[in-house]
């Protein structure tokens, strides 16, 4: 009988249903091609809902100029679209914030696969819909079958057109309803000819290329199959939520049951043929019971090969833990709405079937409406090599558990002899029974049964009259002996089962804990090397294998990590790894391709495709991975692949950020050059031209004024070019300060003298203490820093204002400050002001600059080991720039003094 718990609703299904209740409902109108009437049908359904009193609004609907579609918009509230500027144009997108603020019951969002304009909150429209659903708003939307991500390659093969805008299948799977809007190829082509889909010129080209009868028929079949699969999944979910035992034969499903028997490959092939005839999905399962733990290595390898055969034939493979095979299979079949079960015929003799039962017979008794296909397939047993039987017997039998069991029996006998005077003979048997339980719990079924038989004989020999013989004189003693033997054997069997189940539970718990710790470790790693090292070590630790990880680099697959680290690959291994990378399939030892390689190579893949290859090997003979270890390997590699992809995505994001920054700098540089080169050149050319053409007509003061203009603008141009060169040297790392001990007073005086013309319209105040210590700096670079600060102060301060230079010494550093009386710096720009091509907000009266001067100041100061910061004065309006330079140590000072 199936356990009563199978009649309860599935907890997972109930949880999914509860989560769906908190979200809005999603209905997708699916079409095989453009023009079948998805938007029209969506609007008709929305009108019906509006007539029922539902609050319906339109988020975005594309009518494409079709009059009948535009007529259906009448009466609906339409949310105005938001304008998004893009490359000099204005694009319109759905106003997501307005819809969320309006909070209707239902919103219509056309063209699910649409890509939003750059600058929108989300890059894709389906992500907008996810936010609406999360807010509890129902959504109607439309999409064509060619936009499904999983069908992208198939559609491209059919139509020879690659669709760039796609929607993940996981989003479609979350839809509450999918309605197919179907139209025959002939009717759709007729609509095209009538101009109801495209303009006449476009329609003719579409009919000749995309909208051919063959293409439309294939796309129509894809859309119908997709919807049928979704309906089938909804049926299974409904049955799980309501604990309906099933099956409901709305769609055929085939379940193939295999074990380690030789006939299992034949059963798998039969199941494949049955599924093909029924055009049904199929899966292959094996049930893991207490007997599984006692299987030999040969049986495990045979079962692993069977499961690999099933995967190669296209089946979904699973290993189900359970107490009994038949009950677990029926539970799984009812949960998955299976209609056909394929199982092998029992090879047991009649008396063994009577004692142990038959899986096929048990399934037939419990089947109900499920069809049971019993296959009598046989495959010849492989002839064992000479000496293999003796080796197996020698390796499979260990005397240590039996000797330990004898010691347990001796202990029970000694304890019973001591208790003989106080206990009845029937109670003494409990002492021996305890020894049986200890032996079975410690060593398993075989030693437990051995202990049962020997304990029964010892109990008879030492405690049942006549003593010290195996003869039983009292009929009651015979009954006691028989029941003692039966109870001890049954107790031994039950105890060994509990032991095996406990061991399996501990192993699964240990595996789960290791997987959790591995995922936690990967989540905390930030570099690719750390991820690869953690992955290699974890796979080697959990599977007891040698591991090598390979990733693509410069068009080749190369070794990036391994455990142990000194392991190397030979030519056969490299060829297998390359084949695995290029074909996204396993290769090498135990695989169908290049089996001569020492290692087995498996692809590391994510939803975006293969990202690398992992190779494993060990010193054992035969296949490396059993079904259980293959599942563990898949779990480890899936986590590792996601972690590697995460690192790559972070790198891609950084590269994209750098590319954006480089593009911004390039635009700023072009703007700066176009203005800051053009302005002084225009002034120079204008003044020089005036001097040349009107030299005789100009008086001496005018000529001197024009020559002064030429000189001033030439100096300005020279400063601009010098700044560009300095920034180039900083970016390339070519700045190497020539530091030595220098007097700060002299450098400040030199910088003021050099900036005399720039500072001519300002009052300069210098406050430097007489005992200011010497600093270890580069005088040329430091003078340029001060010149740039003076230039900046003069540029942003009004004429006649005071520019103050002050310095003071601390215990470990000297602080130099340049203060002006300009408008100051906006607080949000205090740090950004040192960026390349960054200029503070200023009025029209402020001369334009390149935005490089302060960036060069920071670069030069930091190259000399100091810091520079910007701030605003507290005593009045104005900016303050503070430079802090460390005082040289006594050893450094003595070395630098000549």
């Amino acid at each position: 009988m199936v356990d009563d718990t199978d009649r309860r609703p599935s907890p997972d299904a109930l949880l999914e249903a509860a989560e769906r209740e908190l979200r809005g409902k999603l209905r997708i109108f699916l079409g095989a091609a453009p023009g079948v009437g998805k938007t029209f049908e969506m609007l008709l359904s929305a009108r019906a809902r509006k007539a029922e009193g539902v609050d319906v609004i339109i988020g975005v609907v594309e009518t494409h100029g079709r009059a009948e579609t535009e007529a259906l918009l009448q009466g609906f509230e339409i949310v105005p679209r938001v304008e998004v500027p893009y490359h000099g144009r204005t694009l319109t997108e759905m106003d997501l914030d307005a819809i969320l603020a309006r909070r209707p019951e239902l919103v219509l969002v056309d063209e699910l696969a649409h890509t939003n304009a750059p600058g929108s909150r989300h890059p894709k429209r389906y992500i907008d819909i996810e936010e609406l659903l999360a807010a509890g708003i129902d959504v109607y939307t439309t999409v064509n079958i060619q936009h499904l991500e999983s069908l992208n390659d198939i559609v491209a093969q059919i139509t020879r057109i690659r669709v760039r805008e796609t929607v993940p299948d996981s989003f479609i799977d979350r839809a509450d309803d999918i309605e197919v809007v179907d139209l025959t190829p002939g009717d759709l082509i007729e609509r095209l000819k009538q101009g109801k889909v495209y303009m006449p010129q476009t329609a003719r080209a579409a009919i000749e290329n995309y909208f051919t009868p063959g293409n439309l028929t294939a796309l129509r079949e894809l859309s119908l199959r997709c919807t049928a699969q979704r309906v089938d999944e909804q049926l299974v979910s409904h049955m799980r939520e309501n604990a309906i035992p099933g099956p409901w034969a709305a769609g055929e499903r085939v379940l193939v049951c295999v074990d380690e028997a030789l006939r299992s490959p034949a059963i798998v092939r039969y199941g494949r043929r049955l599924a093909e005839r029924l055009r049904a999905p199929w899966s292959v399962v094996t049930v893991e019971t207490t007997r599984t733990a006692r299987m030999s290595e040969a049986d495990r390898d045979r079962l692993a090969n069977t499961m690999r055969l099933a995967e190669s034939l296209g089946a979904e493979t699973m290993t189900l833990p359970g107490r009994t095979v038949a009950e677990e299979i029926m539970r799984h079949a009812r949960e998955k709405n299976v209609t056909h079960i394929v199982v092998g015929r029992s090879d047991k003799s009649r008396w063994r079937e009577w004692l142990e039962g038959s899986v096929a017979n048990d399934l037939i008794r419990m089947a109900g409406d499920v069809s049971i296909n019993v296959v009598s397939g046989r495959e010849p047993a492989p002839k064992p090599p000479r000496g293999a039987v003796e080796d197996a017997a020698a390796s499979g039998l260990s005397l240590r558990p039996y000797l330990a069991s004898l010691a347990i029996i001796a202990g029970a006998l000694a304890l019973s002899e001591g208790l003989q005077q106080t206990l009845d003979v029937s109670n003494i048997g409990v002492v021996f029974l305890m020894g049986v339980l200890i032996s079975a719990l410690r060593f398993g079924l075989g030693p437990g049964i051995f202990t049962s038989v020997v304990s029964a004989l010892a109990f008879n020999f030492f405690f049942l009259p006549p003593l010290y013989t195996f003869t039983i004189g009292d009929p009651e003693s015979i009954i006691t002996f028989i029941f003692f033997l039966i109870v001890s054997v049954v107790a031994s069997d039950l105890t060994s089962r509990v032991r095996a189940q406990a061991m399996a539970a501990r192993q699964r718990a240990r595996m789960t804990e290791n997987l959790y710790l591995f995922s936690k470790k990967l989540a905390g790693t930030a570099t690719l090397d750390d991820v690869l090292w953690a992955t290699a070590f974890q796979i080697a630790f959990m599977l007891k294998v040698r591991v090598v990880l390979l990733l693509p680099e410069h068009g080749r697959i190369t070794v990036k990590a391994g455990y142990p680290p000194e392991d190397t690959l030979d030519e056969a291994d490299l060829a297998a790894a390359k084949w695995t990378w290029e074909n996204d399939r396993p290769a090498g030892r135990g695989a169908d391709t290049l089996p001569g390689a020492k290692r087995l190579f498996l692809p590391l893949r994510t939803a975006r495709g293969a990202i690398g290859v992992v190779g494993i090997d060990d010193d054992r003979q035969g296949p490396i991975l059993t079904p259980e270890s293959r599942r563990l390997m898949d779990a480890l590699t899936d986590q590792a692949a996601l972690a590697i992809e995460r690192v790559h995505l972070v790198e891609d994001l950084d590269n994209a950020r750098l590319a954006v920054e480089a593009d911004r700098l390039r635009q700023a540089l072009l703007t700066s050059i176009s203005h800051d080169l053009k302005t002084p050149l225009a002034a120079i050319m204008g003044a020089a031209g005036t001097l040349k053409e009107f030299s005789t007509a100009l008086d001496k003061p005018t000529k001197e004024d024009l020559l002064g203009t030429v000189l001033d603008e030439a100096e300005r141009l020279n400063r601009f070019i010098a700044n560009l060169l300095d920034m180039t040297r900083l970016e390339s790392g070519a700045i190497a300060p020539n530091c030595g001990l220098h007097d700060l007073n002299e450098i400040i005086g030199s910088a003021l003298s050099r900036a005399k013309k720039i500072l001519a319209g300002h009052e300069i105040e210098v406050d430097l203490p007489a005992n200011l210590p010497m600093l270890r700096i580069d005088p040329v670079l430091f003078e340029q820093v001060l010149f740039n600060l003076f230039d900046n102060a003069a540029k942003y301060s009004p004429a006649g204002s005071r520019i103050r230079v002050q310095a003071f010494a601390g215990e470990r550093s000297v602080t130099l400050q340049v203060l002006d009386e300009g408008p100051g710096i906006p607080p949000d720009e205090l740090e950004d002001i040192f960026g390349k091509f960054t200029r503070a907000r200023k009025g029209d009266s402020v001369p334009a600059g390149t935005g490089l001067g302060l960036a060069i100041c920071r670069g030069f100061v930091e190259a000399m080991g100091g810091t520079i910061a910007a701030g605003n004065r507290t005593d009045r309006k104005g900016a303050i720039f503070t430079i802090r330079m460390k005082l040289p140590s006594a050893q450094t000072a003595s070395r630098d003094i000549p």
Side-chain angles (χ1 to χ4, degrees):
M1 297 292 292
V2 178
D3 198 307
D4 289 340
T5 56
D6 292 337
R7 304 295 182 183
R8 301 174 186 171
S10 167
D12 293 337
L14 290 177
L15 181 60
E16 292 174 4
E19 291 176 349
R20 287 199 301 271
E21 289 298 324
L22 300 176
R23 294 170 53 86
K25 300 294 186 296
L26 175 63
R27 187 172 189 178
I28 298 177
F29 293 83
L30 178 66
V36 296
K38 304 179 298 299
T39 304
F40 189 88
E41 187 64 30
M42 178 179 70
L43 290 170
L44 286 179
S45 299
R47 279 190 169 277
R49 294 294 305 277
K50 186 176 178 62
E52 297 170 0
V54 177
D55 182 17
V56 184
I57 68 171
I58 293 179
V60 58
V61 167
E62 303 291 350
T63 64
H64 299 291
R66 299 165 189 160
E68 63 273 18
T69 305
E70 292 179 352
L72 291 177
L73 297 179
Q74 301 299 321
F76 283 109
E77 177 186 346
I78 302 177
V79 177
R81 302 189 189 186
V82 63
E83 294 184 350
V84 180
Y86 179 67
H87 287 316
R89 295 183 300 159
T90 300
L91 305 178
T92 60
E93 295 292 350
M94 181 178 69
D95 194 340
L96 180 60
D97 291 325
I99 296 173
L100 291 172
R102 170 68 169 74
R103 294 195 65 82
E105 295 180 70
L106 172 64
V107 60
L108 310 186
V109 182
D110 207 1
E111 296 187 358
L112 173 63
H114 172 75
T115 299
N116 292 331
S120 302
R121 181 188 306 178
H122 300 133
K124 302 288 289 187
R125 183 167 288 171
Y126 74 83
I127 307 180
D128 294 340
I129 294 178
E130 284 183 340
E131 187 168 347
L132 293 173
L133 295 173
I137 301 174
D138 295 347
V139 177
Y140 281 3
T141 187
T142 64
V143 70
N144 288 323
I145 192 66
Q146 67 264 28
H147 294 293
L148 267 66
E149 180 65 42
S150 63
L151 301 178
N152 190 257
D153 293 334
I154 299 175
V155 172
Q157 184 179 3
I158 294 172
T159 63
R160 292 181 175 82
I161 297 175
R162 174 73 65 175
V163 177
R164 300 300 177 186
E165 293 183 324
T166 59
V167 178
D169 290 59
S170 57
F171 183 87
I172 305 297
D173 293 340
R174 291 197 296 270
D176 296 274
D177 293 296
I178 296 181
E179 180 177 334
V180 178
V181 182
D182 191 30
L183 199 64
T184 64
D187 291 341
L188 180 55
I189 292 174
E190 185 62 30
R191 282 174 54 85
L192 282 165
K193 292 179 178 178
Q194 294 174 0
K196 295 182 178 181
V197 180
Y198 298 128
M199 297 299 290
Q201 297 83 357
T202 307
R204 283 194 296 271
I207 294 174
E208 295 174 358
N209 297 284
Y210 189 88
F211 289 84
T212 64
N215 289 354
L216 294 177
T217 301
L219 294 174
R220 188 185 184 197
E221 181 179 358
L222 283 177
S223 61
L224 293 174
R225 282 185 176 275
C226 175
T227 308
Q229 180 180 357
R230 174 59 183 159
V231 170
D232 191 47
E233 292 171 356
Q234 288 179 333
L235 174 62
V236 173
S237 298
H238 172 75
M239 296 174 67
R240 293 175 64 198
E241 291 172 15
N242 297 276
I244 300 173
W248 283 1
E252 305 288 355
R253 291 176 180 268
V254 178
L255 179 66
V256 181
C257 311
V258 298
D259 56 15
E260 75 280 5
L262 294 171
R263 65 172 179 273
S264 291
I267 297 173
V268 170
R269 287 189 282 267
Y270 176 85
R272 172 70 178 87
R273 294 194 298 272
L274 177 63
E276 194 172 40
R277 287 198 301 270
L278 297 175
R279 294 181 175 271
W282 67 300
S283 58
V284 176
V285 300
T286 181
V287 180
E288 187 181 72
T289 62
T290 55
R291 185 182 62 86
T292 307
R294 301 192 297 271
M295 287 196 307
S296 65
E297 286 298 323
D299 289 340
R300 293 178 184 273
D301 291 343
R302 191 158 49 245
L303 179 58
N305 291 332
T306 301
M307 300 298 276
R308 278 193 288 270
L309 171 65
E311 290 177 353
S312 66
L313 294 176
E316 178 187 4
T317 59
M318 288 167 285
T319 300
L320 308 175
R323 188 170 62 86
T324 61
V325 176
E327 289 183 1
E328 185 60 31
I329 290 174
M330 287 308 304
R331 184 199 64 78
H332 181 76
R334 290 192 172 96
E335 181 180 308
K336 297 299 183 180
N337 199 31
V338 170
T339 56
H340 296 269
I341 295 178
V342 180
V343 67
R345 181 178 65 86
S346 174
D347 290 334
K348 299 176 182 177
S349 59
R350 287 187 177 275
W351 70 269
R352 283 190 62 195
E353 283 192 6
W354 182 78
L355 288 175
E356 302 175 4
S358 167
V359 174
N361 294 336
D362 293 342
L363 287 175
I364 291 172
R365 281 193 295 270
M366 294 186 293
D369 295 330
V370 180
S371 299
I372 307 296
N373 298 263
V374 181
V375 180
S376 59
R378 293 178 179 271
E379 291 199 2
K383 183 178 180 180
R386 182 175 299 178
V389 177
E390 291 81 356
D391 294 341
S395 61
L397 180 62
S398 176
L399 294 178
R400 182 175 298 177
Y402 294 91
L403 294 176
S405 298
L406 287 175
I408 293 173
I409 296 170
L413 178 60
L415 182 61
S416 299
E417 288 287 353
L419 298 175
Q420 186 176 9
Q421 302 299 326
T422 58
L423 294 179
D424 186 71
V425 173
S426 59
N427 293 330
I428 289 176
V430 178
V431 178
F432 284 98
L433 188 60
M434 181 60 68
V436 171
L437 295 177
I438 294 174
S439 177
L441 187 61
R442 181 66 181 84
F443 304 113
L445 181 60
I449 294 178
F450 171 77
T451 306
S452 301
V453 174
V454 176
S455 295
L457 294 176
F459 178 66
N460 175 29
F461 189 82
F462 290 99
F463 298 101
L464 293 181
L467 300 178
Y468 310 119
T469 68
F470 290 106
T471 304
I472 303 176
D474 188 358
E476 291 184 2
S477 299
I478 295 176
I479 296 175
T480 301
F481 175 78
I482 293 174
F483 274 98
F484 174 80
L485 183 61
I486 293 174
V487 169
S488 62
V489 171
V490 171
S492 176
D493 179 58
L494 292 177
T495 304
S496 65
R497 290 188 181 185
V498 171
R499 173 178 176 269
Q501 291 175 352
M503 291 176 62
R506 283 197 300 269
Q507 184 178 2
R508 282 194 289 269
R510 192 181 304 112
M511 184 184 304
T512 302
E513 182 182 8
N514 287 332
L515 287 174
Y516 167 73
L517 293 176
F518 178 52
S519 63
K520 188 176 180 181
K521 185 187 299 182
L522 290 180
T525 55
T527 64
L528 182 60
D529 289 339
D530 291 341
V531 170
L532 295 177
W533 168 251
T535 301
F537 174 79
Q538 195 72 23
I539 294 175
F541 170 72
M542 297 187 69
L543 295 177
K544 303 299 185 289
V545 294
R546 292 184 290 272
V547 184
V548 63
L549 294 170
L550 303 95
L551 297 181
E553 185 178 57
H554 306 304
R556 296 178 55 196
I557 192 78
T558 57
V559 177
K560 290 295 185 180
Y563 192 88
E566 64 274 7
D567 216 0
T568 58
L569 298 181
D570 56 24
E571 291 299 326
D573 286 334
L574 288 173
K578 181 180 179 182
W579 192 93
T580 298
W581 168 249
E582 292 175 349
N583 296 273
D584 196 21
R585 291 171 53 193
R589 177 178 163 188
D592 296 332
T593 304
L594 302 175
K598 183 175 68 173
R599 289 177 172 82
L600 170 65
F601 291 93
L602 303 169
L604 289 169
R605 61 169 71 94
T606 64
R608 298 171 63 185
I611 63 171
V613 174
V614 56
I616 57 174
D617 78 297
D618 57 20
D619 296 327
R620 294 170 294 184
Q621 298 296 322
I624 300 176
L625 298 177
T626 63
E628 182 179 358
S629 59
R630 178 59 184 267
R631 292 197 308 274
L632 177 58
M633 182 70 179
D634 289 342
L636 291 171
T637 54
D638 286 346
Q639 291 191 46
L642 289 175
I644 294 171
E645 186 178 49
R646 172 175 56 82
V647 173
H648 286 165
L649 288 175
V650 171
E651 293 177 352
D652 293 343
L653 183 61
D654 290 340
N655 292 335
R657 189 181 296 113
L658 290 175
V660 171
E661 179 66 15
D663 184 67
R664 187 185 70 83
L665 293 178
R666 188 182 302 110
Q667 294 294 332
L669 177 61
L670 291 175
T671 302
S672 179
I673 290 176
S674 63
H675 180 274
D676 296 307
L677 278 180
K678 188 176 181 180
T679 301
L681 284 176
I684 292 171
M685 292 174 63
T690 302
L691 286 172
K692 180 180 179 181
E693 295 182 11
F694 305 101
S695 176
T696 57
L698 297 176
D699 56 15
K700 185 177 180 180
T702 304
K703 291 181 180 180
E704 291 178 352
D705 184 56
L706 289 174
L707 289 173
T709 300
V710 172
L711 183 59
D712 291 343
E713 294 300 328
E715 290 179 353
R716 178 182 171 189
L717 184 60
N718 181 61
R719 291 196 302 272
F720 174 74
I721 295 175
N723 281 338
L724 286 178
L725 293 176
D726 287 340
M727 184 54 61
T728 303
R729 292 165 61 200
L730 279 172
E731 293 287 343
S732 63
I735 294 292
N738 183 20
C739 294
L741 290 178
H742 295 276
D743 185 3
L744 191 59
N745 288 277
E746 294 181 1
I747 298 176
I748 294 175
S750 177
L752 288 172
S753 175
R754 179 180 166 194
K756 183 177 181 180
K757 186 175 294 186
I758 298 175
L759 300 174
H762 300 273
E763 181 183 346
I764 307 301
E765 181 179 343
V766 179
D767 183 8
L768 300 176
N771 59 346
L772 199 63
M774 300 179 73
L775 296 178
R776 191 172 185 276
I777 54 178
D778 185 320
V780 177
L781 298 185
F782 204 84
E783 180 183 326
Q784 183 63 45
V785 171
L786 293 176
F787 180 85
N788 287 353
L789 292 178
F790 295 155
D791 181 40
N792 185 79
K795 187 183 303 179
Y796 285 88
S797 300
S801 63
R802 179 182 301 172
I803 297 176
R804 178 180 175 84
V805 182
Q806 63 186 24
F808 53 88
E811 293 183 0
R812 299 182 179 180
S813 64
V814 171
T815 301
L816 174 67
Q817 294 179 327
V818 177
L819 302 88
D820 62 47
E821 296 179 352
I825 305 171
D828 58 337
E829 296 183 11
L830 287 175
E831 184 60 30
D832 297 338
I833 201 70
F834 291 101
K836 296 186 291 291
F837 301 105
T838 301
R839 306 174 186 175
R841 296 191 293 268
K842 55 186 182 295
D844 295 336
S845 61
V846 178
T850 63
L852 290 175
L854 295 180
I856 292 171
C857 288
R858 168 166 285 185
F860 283 0
V861 170
E862 291 180 350
M864 291 181 287
T867 61
I868 183 172
N872 289 308
R873 299 178 63 169
T874 57
D875 56 338
R876 65 183 68 188
K877 290 177 61 177
I880 177 172
F881 289 89
T882 303
I883 301 174
R884 285 186 175 87
M885 303 298 298
K886 294 180 181 179
L887 288 173
S889 62
Q891 182 179 3
T892 303
S894 62
R895 185 179 67 244
D896 289 341
I897 294 175

